[in-house]
């Protein structure tokens, strides 16, 4: 569903431009880094060493650890920063190709020789309609298909090369976070938006800041701006930060990415599209209750993502 990503980029640009005159915020770098940091704290010591060996194969490893003299801190910062790499390759400096979901190479898993952005790997839309609007068929390649492929390749026993395993690890660090953002699992079709909302990118909302923003970008904006690993760690460790949140241990052991998406889609229906969000694309003023619910859901989902990410990596590499 290529319109989703183009709308997403426009939403990102709008939010960045808005940051020139107001506070910037995003469940982009900051959110993904916080999730990675909380997960890292839960990794076995031996697994941390194996993770670092794989991350050293990423071409950005030296940039991630530049100026850090303490090896322990360097390993931590590399892991935290690596969680943003799948978004970083969308920028011009990487010169990656913006490919499409129907490309013959859409579902490949070949390691760092793959110079495609694979923007459609970041989500799986469970399309639905509240008013009988016709739905398109699902994409053949998505977050779930690729995440399952990467999880299977991550153990050393998989037979995959270290290059592929490293590539998969940085994608896994990112995609587990994406899978727990409710609007990465939902595509809503209405009479007013018959071609689909691309995961909330078609609807406009006005939060307490007073700045209109796409619904998807609003949900992405709940953990702060484009910060450094140090900033993300500081925020996660702050009082009532992400690291302080308790997670249901039974839920944390759920390892099927499809179930994560199913959960996110239900949360989207219940909370993301709740009133006052309309069935169309007209900007709506959000209520305090809506914003409070969103913050609570985002925090609980991010904490759950961190716990599941840690379990995934520990199980694959211990």
């Amino acid at each position: 569903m290529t319109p989703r990503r183009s709308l997403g980029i426009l939403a990102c640009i709008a939010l960045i431009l808005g940051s020139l005159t107001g506070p910037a915020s995003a469940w982009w770098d900051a959110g993904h880094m916080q999730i990675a940091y909380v997960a890292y704290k839960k990794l076995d010591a031996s697994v941390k060493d194996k993770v670092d060996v794989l991350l050293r194969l990423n071409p950005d490893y030296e940039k991630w650890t530049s100026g850090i003299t303490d090896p322990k801190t360097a390993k931590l910062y590399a892991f935290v920063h690596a969680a943003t790499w799948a978004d970083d390759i969308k920028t011009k400096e990487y010169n990656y190709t913006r490919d499409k979901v129907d490309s013959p190479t859409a579902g490949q898993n070949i390691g760092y020789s793959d110079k495609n952005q694979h923007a459609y790997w970041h989500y799986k839309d469970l399309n639905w309609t509240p008013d009988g609007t016709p739905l398109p068929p699902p994409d053949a390649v998505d977050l779930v298909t690729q995440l399952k492929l990467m999880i299977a390749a991550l153990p050393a026993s998989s037979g995959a090369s270290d290059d592929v395993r490293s590539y998969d690890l940085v994608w896994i660090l990112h995609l587990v976070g994406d899978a727990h953002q409710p609007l990465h699992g939902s595509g809503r079709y209405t009479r007013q938006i018959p071609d689909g909302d691309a995961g909330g990118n078609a609807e406009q909302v006005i939060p307490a800041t007073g700045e209109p923003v796409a619904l998807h970008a609003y949900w992405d904006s709940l953990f702060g701006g484009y910060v450094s690993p140090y900033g993300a760690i500081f925020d996660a460790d702050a009082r009532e930060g992400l690291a302080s949140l308790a997670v249901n241990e039974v839920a944390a052991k759920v390892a099927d990415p499809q179930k994560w998406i199913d959960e996110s889609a239900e949360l989207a229906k219940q909370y993301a599209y709740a009133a006052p969000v309309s069935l169309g694309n007209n900007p709506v003023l959000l209520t305090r209750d809506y914003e409070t619910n969103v913050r609570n859901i985002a925090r609980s989902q991010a904490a759950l993502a961190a716990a599941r990410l840690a379990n995934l990596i520990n199980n694959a590499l211990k």
Side-chain angles (χ1 to χ4, degrees):
M1 183 183 296
T2 54
R4 175 193 183 98
R5 293 301 98 185
S6 61
L7 284 166
I9 294 296
L10 290 175
C12 291
I13 293 172
L15 197 61
I16 292 169
L17 291 175
S19 71
L20 298 177
T21 57
S25 56
W27 187 348
W28 288 294
D29 285 18
H32 283 289
M33 285 185 182
Q34 287 191 44
I35 290 169
Y37 168 64
V38 175
Y40 190 82
K41 295 177 69 174
K42 301 176 186 291
L43 295 184
D44 297 341
S46 62
V47 171
K48 290 179 180 178
D49 291 336
K50 294 176 182 178
V51 160
D52 192 65
V53 170
L54 290 175
L55 291 182
R56 286 176 182 272
L57 299 178
N58 186 284
D60 282 355
Y61 187 88
E62 290 188 6
K63 181 172 69 174
W64 296 338
T65 58
S66 176
I68 304 172
T69 57
D70 174 52
K72 185 176 180 180
T73 303
K75 291 179 181 179
L76 168 62
Y77 276 36
F79 186 90
V80 171
H81 208 153
T84 71
W85 188 82
D87 274 346
D88 293 341
I89 62 173
K90 298 175 186 176
T91 60
K92 289 183 179 180
E93 66 180 280
Y94 286 82
N95 200 30
Y96 274 52
T97 299
R98 188 167 184 81
D99 60 320
K100 297 181 179 180
V101 70
D102 56 0
S103 164
T105 58
Q108 67 186 8
N109 186 30
I110 61 173
Y112 291 114
S113 63
D114 188 343
K115 300 301 180 182
N116 293 310
Q117 293 178 9
H118 296 300
Y120 45 86
W121 288 2
H122 292 253
Y123 60 94
K124 177 174 182 174
D125 285 339
L126 298 186
N127 297 326
W128 65 285
T129 174
D131 56 20
T133 299
L135 302 177
D139 293 332
V141 179
D142 54 40
L143 183 153
V144 172
T145 63
Q146 295 313 111
L147 197 46
K148 286 184 174 181
L149 195 65
M150 293 170 181
I151 292 170
L154 188 57
S157 61
S158 71
S161 69
D162 286 349
D163 178 84
V164 169
R165 294 171 63 227
S166 172
Y167 177 85
D168 288 354
L169 175 60
V170 295
W171 269 100
I172 288 169
L173 289 176
H174 188 88
L175 293 183
V176 173
D178 278 349
H180 289 78
Q181 205 275 52
L183 287 170
H184 278 254
S186 177
R188 187 176 69 155
Y189 289 71
T190 67
R191 293 189 184 95
Q192 294 94 324
I193 310 176
D195 294 327
D197 75 338
N201 276 298
E203 295 91 346
Q204 292 284 311
V205 296
I206 306 172
T209 60
E211 298 173 352
V213 65
L215 177 65
H216 187 105
Y218 170 73
W219 274 78
D220 269 348
S221 73
L222 298 169
F223 289 100
Y226 295 92
V227 299
S228 66
Y230 174 86
I233 291 168
F234 181 89
D235 288 342
D237 277 337
R239 183 179 179 183
E240 299 184 358
L242 199 61
S244 70
L245 299 185
V247 174
N248 181 289
E249 291 302 317
V250 174
K253 292 179 181 178
V254 174
D256 183 357
Q258 182 59 55
K259 291 184 179 179
W260 303 346
I261 287 293
D262 291 342
E263 294 168 358
S264 287
E266 287 303 313
L267 289 172
K269 290 181 182 179
Q270 185 175 356
Y271 294 101
Y273 296 109
V277 175
S278 72
L279 295 175
N281 55 16
N282 53 299
V284 294
L285 183 65
L286 296 179
T287 63
R288 177 176 292 184
D289 284 346
Y290 181 96
E291 296 207 61
T292 298
N293 286 336
V294 168
R295 285 192 295 271
N296 289 339
I297 292 299
R299 281 164 52 81
S300 63
Q301 281 294 95
L304 184 57
R308 286 172 169 171
L309 177 60
N311 285 337
L312 186 166
I313 296 174
N314 275 331
N315 290 335
L317 299 180
K318 66 182 178 182

